[in-house]
Amino acid sequence: MKNYKPKKRLPAQAYIDGVLKGDRVILSRAITIIESNLESDKSLSKEIVQEILPNSGKSIRIGITGVPGVGKSTFIEVFGLHLVKLGHKVAILSIDPSSQRSRGSILGDKTRMDELSVLQEAYIRPSASGDTLGGVSNKTGETMLLCEAAGYDVILIETVGVGQSETAVHGMTDFFLLLMLAGAGDELQGIKKGIMEMADMVVINKADGDNITMSKLAKRQYQNALHIFPASESGWTPVASTASAIKNIGIDNVWNEVLKFKKLVDENGYFLKNRNHQQIKWMYNNINEELKHLFYGSKNIKRELSSLENDIVTSKISPVKAAQQIIEEFKNSFQLS
C-alpha cells in the first residue's frame, strides 16, 4: 500500500459539475475520493461535499436492517424496482462487513441486484464497513449527500446486519425498516430490544407458500410488541407487516407506510427537527474521528504506545494506568489543560 498511487484526480469543480449533472461515472469517482484515506484526497473530498451541499437533502432516507438470512438484498432490489416504476430515482448504499483479520470485504451486493443495477434510474454503491461500528461505513453520510445532489430522491441504506452496535443507521435516516423472519424460533427473543424500539416498521419477509400462516402470527406478535415501547417523538405509531420479495407481495404496502410517515412528520415538524439534530450529531462524530486520527497519527504517541504495550504484557503497568499516561502525553504534546 505504501507505493499505491490513486487514479489521476480531476479538479474539484469537475467532480462537482459531474455529480450535479447526474453523471454516474463521476459520481462513483467522487465517492471513491470521499471514502479514501489518503491525505491528498481529504481536502478534495471536503471541497466537493461543501459545494454540493445546497443541492442535497431532498430525498427520503430509509435505513434497512434485519436478521441474517432474511433476504435484505432481494427485498431491496424488488423494493427499488417498485420505486423506479413509480418514477423515483433510487440510490442503494450497501454496507458489506469488513474482515477483522484481512480488513477486506466481498462487496457482493451489486452482483446480487442484477436487475436493478442495469437501470439508469438506480445507483448501487457497495462499501466496506471498515472499523466503523453501527453497521454503516464512516463515509456513508457524505456518500448519501452526493447521491442526493445527483438527483436520487430515495436513498436506501442496507446495513451489515443486526447487533448491539447496528443502530447507527437510525441516526442518519428518516425511516427505519426492520426485516424479520417467521418460524425461526422465538421471534421476540431473536432481536435486540434497542433496534425494535427504533423501528418505524417491521416487515416479516418470505411470507409465501407454507410460511404464510407463521408470518401472519409473527406479524401479530411484533405489532403487539411495538405497542409496548414508549411513543416515538415523531408521533408515528410503528407498524408490522408481511411481505414476500420473491413473489413481489406486500412491497407496495411498505412504500405506502413510508409515505404516510413522511406526511405525518412533515405536518408536525418532526422531519426537519430530526434532520437538524442528525446534522449536529454528524459534526460531533466527525470531530471524534479527526481527534482519533490526530491521536494515533502522532509519532510521539506511536512510540509511547509501543513502549507501554511491552510494559503491560510484562506487568510493569496496568492497562488503566497506561491509558492515563498516554493521554497525559497527548495533552502535553498539544499543551492541553
Side-chain angles (χ1 to χ4, degrees), residues 5-295:
K5 291 184 179 179
K7 187 174 181 179
K8 186 177 179 182
R9 301 307 192 206
L10 303 172
Q13 195 60 47
Y15 292 109
I16 295 162
D17 292 341
V19 168
L20 296 179
K21 290 176 184 174
D23 185 321
R24 297 187 346 161
V25 173
I26 295 296
L27 173 61
S28 293
R29 291 181 64 179
I31 293 173
T32 297
I33 292 170
I34 296 295
E35 295 179 336
S36 172
N37 289 319
L38 297 174
E39 288 298 325
S40 58
D41 284 335
K42 287 185 177 179
S43 59
L44 182 58
S45 166
K46 291 172 184 174
E47 185 176 355
I48 293 170
V49 172
Q50 183 62 35
E51 291 301 315
I52 60 89
L53 196 58
N55 295 279
S56 65
K58 301 180 180 71
S59 76
I60 179 76
R61 304 166 180 172
I62 304 172
I64 302 178
T65 191
V67 295
V70 77
K72 287 193 296 292
S73 295
T74 303
F75 177 88
I76 289 171
E77 177 170 45
V78 175
F79 190 42
L81 291 169
H82 176 72
L83 294 173
V84 168
K85 287 177 183 176
L86 292 176
H88 295 283
K89 288 188 68 178
V90 185
I92 295 98
L93 309 183
S94 175
I95 315 301
D96 272 16
S98 297
S99 168
Q100 294 304 304
R101 268 189 200 172
S102 67
R103 323 309 297 174
S105 181
I106 297 174
L107 302 179
D109 277 300
K110 195 164 185 176
T111 61
R112 292 197 294 268
M113 301 180 193
D114 53 348
E115 191 176 347
L116 188 62
S117 63
V118 299
L119 299 180
Q120 285 297 313
E121 299 85 359
Y123 177 76
I124 303 173
R125 178 73 183 200
S127 300
S129 61
D131 294 324
T132 309
L133 295 177
V136 291
S137 163
N138 66 333
K139 297 300 182 182
T140 302
E142 288 93 334
T143 301
M144 182 170 61
L145 295 180
L146 260 64
C147 289
E148 290 177 338
Y152 295 95
D153 62 327
V154 181
I155 311 292
L156 306 179
I157 302 180
E158 178 193 5
T159 68
V160 171
V162 169
Q164 286 179 315
S165 63
E166 193 60 16
T167 54
V169 66
H170 183 262
M172 63 173 61
T173 53
D174 307 308
F175 190 89
F176 189 56
L177 179 62
L178 176 61
L179 298 178
M180 294 297 292
L181 290 170
D186 185 348
E187 279 82 6
L188 299 183
Q189 294 297 322
I191 191 161
K192 300 294 182 183
K193 180 184 174 185
I195 300 174
M196 278 285 289
E197 286 181 313
M198 288 185 290
D200 295 302
M201 186 175 190
V202 175
V203 175
I204 317 302
N205 194 27
K206 302 186 179 180
D208 49 55
D210 296 335
N211 210 28
I212 292 177
T213 301
M214 285 190 294
S215 297
K216 289 180 178 178
L217 175 60
K219 173 191 170 182
R220 289 196 296 271
Q221 289 178 325
Y222 280 115
Q223 192 68 69
N224 292 335
L226 289 169
H227 288 153
I228 295 173
F229 299 127
S232 169
E233 188 184 350
S234 68
W236 172 257
T237 301
V239 294
S241 180
T242 60
S244 170
I246 292 178
K247 300 289 185 181
N248 199 358
I249 298 171
I251 304 300
D252 55 344
N253 180 57
V254 175
W255 180 240
N256 288 338
E257 292 296 335
V258 173
L259 293 179
K260 288 179 189 176
F261 171 87
K262 181 65 164 60
K263 183 175 185 294
L264 174 70
V265 295
D266 277 342
E267 290 174 351
N268 65 21
Y270 177 79
F271 184 84
L272 183 58
K273 180 182 177 181
N274 187 49
R275 282 280 182 98
N276 290 339
H277 173 74
Q278 289 177 350
Q279 291 287 87
I280 292 170
K281 188 176 179 182
W282 190 358
M283 176 189 72
Y284 283 108
N285 287 342
N286 275 275
I287 290 173
N288 291 336
E289 283 295 315
E290 288 296 328
L291 285 174
K292 186 173 74 172
H293 289 307
L294 184 65
F295 179 83

